[in-house]
Amino acid sequence: MSGRRAIRLGMVGGGEGAFIGAVHRLAARMDGEFELVAGALSATPVKAKRSAAAIGLARSYADFRDMARDESARPDGIEAVAIVTPNHLHAPVARAFLAAGIHTICDKPLTATLAQARSLAAAARKSTAIFALTHNYTGYPLVRHARAMVAAGALGRLRVVQVEYTQDWLATRLEATGQKQAAWRTDPQRAGLGGALGDIGTHAFNLATYVSGLGVEALAADLSSFVPGRKLDDDARILLRLSGGARGMLWASQVAVGRENGLTLRLYGTKAGLEWRQEHPNHLTFTPLGEAPRTIARGSATTGPAAARVTRLPAGHPEGYLEAFANLYTEIARAIRARQAGKRVPRDVEFPGLEDGLAGMRFVATAVASSRAGGRWRKLAGPV
Amino acid sequence: MSGRRAIRLGMVGGGEGAFIGAVHRLAARMDGEFELVAGALSATPVKAKRSAAAIGLARSYADFRDMARDESARPDGIEAVAIVTPNHLHAPVARAFLAAGIHTICDKPLTATLAQARSLAAAARKSTAIFALTHNYTGYPLVRHARAMVAAGALGRLRVVQVEYTQDWLATRLEATGQKQAAWRTDPQRAGLGGALGDIGTHAFNLATYVSGLGVEALAADLSSFVPGRKLDDDARILLRLSGGARGMLWASQVAVGRENGLTLRLYGTKAGLEWRQEHPNHLTFTPLGEAPRTIARGSATTGPAAARVTRLPAGHPEGYLEAFANLYTEIARAIRARQAGKRVPRDVEFPGLEDGLAGMRFVATAVASSRAGGRWRKLAGPV
Amino acid sequence: MSGRRAIRLGMVGGGEGAFIGAVHRLAARMDGEFELVAGALSATPVKAKRSAAAIGLARSYADFRDMARDESARPDGIEAVAIVTPNHLHAPVARAFLAAGIHTICDKPLTATLAQARSLAAAARKSTAIFALTHNYTGYPLVRHARAMVAAGALGRLRVVQVEYTQDWLATRLEATGQKQAAWRTDPQRAGLGGALGDIGTHAFNLATYVSGLGVEALAADLSSFVPGRKLDDDARILLRLSGGARGMLWASQVAVGRENGLTLRLYGTKAGLEWRQEHPNHLTFTPLGEAPRTIARGSATTGPAAARVTRLPAGHPEGYLEAFANLYTEIARAIRARQAGKRVPRDVEFPGLEDGLAGMRFVATAVASSRAGGRWRKLAGPV
Amino acid sequence: MSGRRAIRLGMVGGGEGAFIGAVHRLAARMDGEFELVAGALSATPVKAKRSAAAIGLARSYADFRDMARDESARPDGIEAVAIVTPNHLHAPVARAFLAAGIHTICDKPLTATLAQARSLAAAARKSTAIFALTHNYTGYPLVRHARAMVAAGALGRLRVVQVEYTQDWLATRLEATGQKQAAWRTDPQRAGLGGALGDIGTHAFNLATYVSGLGVEALAADLSSFVPGRKLDDDARILLRLSGGARGMLWASQVAVGRENGLTLRLYGTKAGLEWRQEHPNHLTFTPLGEAPRTIARGSATTGPAAARVTRLPAGHPEGYLEAFANLYTEIARAIRARQAGKRVPRDVEFPGLEDGLAGMRFVATAVASSRAGGRWRKLAGPV
């Protein structure tokens, strides 16, 4: 808690039956940097109202456009908005708030389609407001330390990047049961081009490029829809060619029975290897060539400033997913406060934004195209 | 966030250089149940003021007695207080607030001495206010599930209880460097009878008795002060005889080089074994006799209601120490709200209190007595 | 030890500086089924002699052809031969012994080239002798149990097969230092088409198909030679399409710094997942959908007859690589004894043979072709 | 395989239904150093004969005394004998062979009683033959490396020694079912003073003192017989005071449901900690103060000569229990060959012997006495 006034936050989406909305609220509140004061929690007015009441929200809107307009007009209106809707609404909602000069914190992936991504990018570039994308795994202290190690050359020149994100919650046709999360994530109209690819593949892609510092130049994808009747992929395996000659693999699956949130990154360079597992995020395995592998613990003397900045507890007292998510919110708060004070955003503030979102959408679109072309290699198009 | 008004919280201790104060503040805030509004963060007035300003605290006091008196007189005064001072102040501070009818949340161990524990117990029994003791590890979802499994007979009759809590931060004479945490924890005047024994041994004792549902009837202790010049134990190994014929061992060490917060509980009954490690708190190993060991994951379909009540995230998205700590605060909030509404505290609300604190103090005093008597077996005295 | 006379064994290759020869000798001896009596341990006569003396070998030959001829003529001549030369010699050596009616135990991969594989296959089909290929990982008890579980439907219909074999011993240009193992394995003349692909990729391929019971129908490969100056691949990543609609990935690398012999197989079906790691071969993780993951231990009550047959020790006393290797030798001995007795080989005797070797060579050749074609998907040709 | 003639070995015990006899046979054979030629495999003549036939043994005796006499008289008689009987027979059998000048390899514990130990010690001291005791865990390469690290001061001055050996096979009254292993191990007449204490507690004691290089000066023991009707302890927990001021705990249990052969040693010194687990014997965790924990792998560049001497395979290809056991046999063979050649036993040859066995017996006797005295501290008597 900084001791300063909390930033007034609004939320679009995140009503009854939602998952990620509650995570955003908790993350925003954890360090006392944000205070949630307004919301359009559901597109269904009665559900919006009920959801708002359930969490004691001061101002509830039935329509996000009204919210953007009214809040920007109030002296005590929201300063930032969190967008936690299904993917297809990210672009229109974000555009509305960006146009109103309200800082925008958007869940991933950026949008449902590349066309939407382009329109949102144009809007974001015109706006004075900050645009942040919650690729929340970049908020883990040891992910930041891993990135710093790679950047400092601890691994030498990177050769291999292996990343995977595996789950099993869509191993059966859950969407047919009315489960809300499954329903929209398997619906091309709401989820967009990618299924597992968009939902968790973009996280894996983001993590791999964030930590490695490399771009993906080309890929060959083999997407599957294993569950009968499913329209989008529930399993994606992709070969990667990265900048600097590195090669890699990305596997995203929502049918890997027994896996929960198995996001794992492994990097191998000329001098060392590095491994991080989201399910055990407080330790990083560092394997210098010819030496004994080392276990680097979050909060210990063996991590550096990039991790220390976003660490709350000493080693051995585990931090988790919510702390990592909150780190992004707290970083975003620092950026907002700098803007509000007319200052530059401090150099060490770090959170994913528009370019990360665009890269993710190019990745999804290219992977879908490659797979449709029988798994042919495809270059990732340049900046949109 | 419940949607209800946050409970007004005060804090005594937790100023500059403190560790656990910040943890309490974050835990109190996490679910939006408490709002910190007043504090006597340090016994040194200038530090109290500076510490209060640093965290944006509305009302700062130089003396906890003034705080108890003034806050209880204000219509918007604190409803609860968190005591995060060194051990020797727990009793006087708690007595002041309990006398003022303010709900009291006290860090462990209960007090520095058995005499203090008795005086505090008397005060707590006379007060209408709630007294809670933050043996925070009982807030972990899988600790609760483990307790529920034992209670339901999943392990059969318990035979063996092995518990340990190992750290290494006092492996050298850190107290001689001026490090504040080390200084008071190794000082008999402020820490009390036990060193490692009081600081982390009481956690281990509490966890073992909480999960097993057994009491410790007798013990034989061998306490050591390995670091030259240290007055209190920094390593305690204790044989236990528990109710129902079970036997056990407790090891607490702050000189186990390489261990961070190695709190581990292992239970073995006639039908199954169970193991939980605080450093990997999201999994529990259950080993039924003659069957394949099972890994029970927090947030999965394989845990029951005791865990589910205090779970925020699905399996695979790790929760940690802060979430567990916050669970205690949120449970305490439920109890306070029930009291304020003139209702009984719901039966499923659960947090450690006075009796747990007294048991811990008896454990410390008995272990010290046993060790001083050359490791002789000593019965734990009955209720104080 | 069966109590029967040991089978007389010869060896070709495995002299000074070799690795796998000593492994074969130990594996052959472990259960007392074979007695090594003759060898052509090196193509260099003086080294052959010196190597034979060093291990106390009765009869030493400078040329494998002489050995095949002379031994088959002796009444006490070898009954079986182990071929542990570099790959390019497998075919000529095996042909010589098969032609002499001597049972042949050949290290993998089958040959250096597809043409050699075809010639060896023809010879093997004509011979009355047994031909065994030491894909030794199939000798691990839990690999056999995994196969039995899949075959029994414990995983349901297989969807995903992920296999990898990672090492780091070729992360630098070791072949330039004169290290014998590295020298021939990176030399296309001696190793053949594949580098990492042939050396360990074939093991991964064999393990995946053995346990899954599925064939690979098509693949897309991306092979790299990361170490400058290296002529063969040192890293291979391959997308797989398997029979029955399953998909998979195979990654073989000898430049994954920090990995030792990271052979890992993960299978995911409609009903459960299964994971086995060669570096921790005594446990298998079984994850039925919606249930707690189970750890199946070798030698425990939770494995079945397929594992029990090749298990020497109870759970908790680890068996390793040599025991698994010895299991193949002991299975082969049972087959040889059956043949010698004019009986059918018992149905439960199991070891890899000619067809497995041919499949491995088709896999290597197809992967190389795919990679040379820019990573295009290629079907695996049918039987050679 | 050394290339030299195998040493002729006899065996007493190890017939039908035995466990450890087959382990000794395999261990003796693994490196080709011993050839089993004679045995008195059972005290029941018909079983002795049948057992000998089953393993193809040349010479079978019904009585070990006949065997000692006849074999020592033959020119091709056994040079060494392995004693794998129940404990109460160790002393008489060993005395017979030692008196005949035959090198004696005896399973642990040394004897059933202290009186027997004394008589055996006297006999061994008079004999020219070598006496070896198979505390086989000292044969693990990383146990030897751990000992070397401690001796070289890598841990600084030792403070804490924690050792445990846990199993669950006696969690029920298995001895009542006629299971042979359970029957004698729970019978005071055959097992001696200790149950779990003698069977596995002596292993834990030996391992702890071997690696730490410290002696146990005093102990306080709490022994339990949890299974109704059992006469000997099935669970032993013991506080230790070691030489040099170190303290420790030893826990041996055969009722720890879910544990297989959980022999674990943890050492903590002023400079570092060290942990080794028998169930994962190929890795050692080394934790230098203030540095990242390191995983030392058997067969890697990070182990030294003490481990390398007894290592067969490179890191990542796991070795196990049998290899460790074989290492003792091979060390013993080196000693025997040196004696036979009239040379001194090489300094680097290492295996447990008489003194280790006596120390183990003193440990058992003292622990039983302490427990009977209500857990009082007892000094370990000096040399017998």
Side-chain angles (χ1 to χ4, degrees), chain B residues 141 193 252 281 382:
Chain B
L193 282 170

Side-chain angles (χ1 to χ4, degrees), chain B residues 83 85-95 106-111:
Chain B
I83 304 174
T85 63
N87 304 343
H88 68 305
L89 293 173
H90 290 180
V93 175
R95 292 179 62 181
C106 183
D107 209 80
K108 42 49 58 185
L110 186 63
T111 54

Side-chain angles (χ1 to χ4, degrees), chain D residues 248-379:
Chain D
M249 271 177 168
L250 182 150
W251 175 38
S253 183
Q254 294 180 317
V255 299
V257 177
R259 304 306 313 239
E260 296 164 345
N261 282 288
L263 174 59
T264 299
L265 176 66
R266 295 179 289 172
L267 302 175
Y268 301 95
T270 49
K271 291 166 57 180
L274 199 57
E275 178 172 344
W276 180 79
R277 296 176 174 268
Q278 192 267 153
E279 298 195 355
H280 296 283
N282 293 289
H283 295 93
L284 188 64
T285 305
F286 176 57
T287 55
L289 183 61
E291 298 180 24
R294 294 173 202 170
T295 304
I296 294 173
R298 182 200 51 72
S300 73
T302 60
T303 54
R309 278 187 56 239
V310 290
T311 293
R312 291 169 188 77
L313 297 172
H317 278 150
E319 293 188 5
Y321 176 87
L322 291 171
E323 285 77 14
F325 216 116
N327 287 337
L328 282 201
Y329 264 90
T330 300
E331 295 276 80
I332 295 166
R334 290 184 67 202
I336 291 174
R337 292 186 195 280
R339 281 285 178 88
Q340 292 178 335
K343 296 184 189 159
R344 293 188 62 153
V345 173
R347 288 191 55 187
D348 59 0
V349 165
E350 213 180 326
F351 53 83
L354 185 67
E355 293 308 320
D356 303 280
L358 288 168
M361 291 308 295
R362 285 194 293 270
F363 165 72
V364 169
T366 310
V368 169
S370 165
S371 189
R372 286 184 182 159
R376 290 267 184 108
W377 281 89
R378 286 279 182 270
K379 289 194 182 168

Side-chain angles (χ1 to χ4, degrees), chain D residues 10-283:
Chain D
M11 176 168 279
V12 179
E16 294 171 357
F19 162 62
I20 205 68
V23 168
H24 278 254
R25 291 194 291 268
L26 208 161
R29 183 171 61 238
M30 188 177 281
D31 294 321
E33 296 285 355
F34 292 90
E35 181 187 12
L36 186 67
V37 297
L41 302 185
S42 171
T44 313
V46 64
K47 281 179 65 179
K49 199 164 204 171
R50 205 164 51 208
S51 301
I55 62 169
L57 200 57
R59 304 190 290 273
S60 172
Y61 295 86
D63 188 301
F64 70 84
R65 288 172 200 85
D66 299 343
M67 178 174 158
R69 186 195 56 223
D70 292 5
E71 289 290 323
S72 62
R74 294 174 67 112
D76 65 346
I78 59 170
E79 298 157 275
V81 69
I83 304 173
V84 292
T85 63
N87 304 341
H88 68 305
L89 293 174
H90 289 181
V93 176
R95 291 178 63 180
F97 286 88
L98 288 168
I102 292 171
H103 302 296
T104 298
I105 302 164
C106 183
D107 209 79
K108 41 50 58 185
L110 184 64
T111 55
T113 67
L114 255 181
Q116 283 185 327
R118 284 193 196 100
S119 83
L120 174 51
R125 285 168 187 152
K126 273 190 291 190
S127 173
T128 57
I130 288 167
F131 181 83
L133 190 74
T134 52
H135 275 306
N136 51 289
Y137 302 106
T138 63
Y140 273 111
L142 289 184
V143 166
R144 299 198 163 200
H145 184 58
R147 174 178 164 91
M149 289 179 74
V150 172
L155 275 69
R157 184 187 174 90
L158 285 180
R159 287 168 169 167
V160 176
V161 175
Q162 303 285 107
V163 67
E164 63 184 51
Y165 195 149
T166 51
Q167 303 178 324
D168 73 358
W169 68 293
L170 293 177
T172 61
R173 204 168 167 208
L174 187 61
E175 60 268 39
T177 68
Q179 207 264 11
K180 181 180 165 180
Q181 297 299 317
W184 76 255
R185 278 185 172 80
T186 57
D187 174 4
Q189 299 305 316
R190 287 179 282 172
L193 283 170
L197 186 63
D199 195 33
I200 55 176
T202 50
H203 272 313
F205 173 83
N206 179 260
L207 182 71
T209 54
Y210 175 75
V211 175
S212 70
L214 303 179
V216 171
E217 299 184 340
L219 58 76
D222 195 24
L223 309 187
S224 302
S225 299
F226 281 114
V227 172
R230 187 162 289 164
K231 288 172 191 151
L232 291 173
D233 66 281
D234 49 24
D235 187 277
R237 56 202 68 243
I238 305 175
L239 298 178
L240 307 175
R241 292 182 186 153
L242 298 108
S243 49
R247 301 297 168 102
M249 271 177 168
L250 182 150
W251 175 38
S253 183
Q254 294 180 317
V255 299
V257 177
R259 304 306 313 239
E260 296 164 345
N261 282 288
L263 174 59
T264 299
L265 176 66
R266 295 179 289 172
L267 302 175
Y268 301 95
T270 49
K271 291 166 57 180
L274 199 57
E275 178 172 344
W276 180 79
R277 296 176 174 268
Q278 192 267 153
E279 298 195 355
H280 296 283
N282 293 289
H283 295 93

Side-chain angles (χ1 to χ4, degrees), chain A residues 92-162:
Chain A
V93 176
R95 292 178 62 180
F97 286 89
L98 288 168
I102 293 171
H103 302 296
T104 298
I105 302 164
C106 184
D107 209 80
K108 44 47 61 184
L110 185 64
T111 55
T113 65
L114 256 181
Q116 283 185 327
R118 286 194 194 98
S119 84
L120 173 50
R125 286 167 186 154
K126 273 191 291 189
S127 173
T128 58
I130 287 167
F131 181 84
L133 191 74
T134 52
H135 274 306
N136 51 290
Y137 301 105
T138 63
Y140 273 109
L142 288 184
V143 167
R144 297 197 167 203
H145 183 58
R147 175 179 164 90
M149 288 179 75
V150 172
L155 276 69
R157 183 187 176 89
L158 285 180
R159 288 168 169 168
V160 176
V161 175
Q162 303 285 106

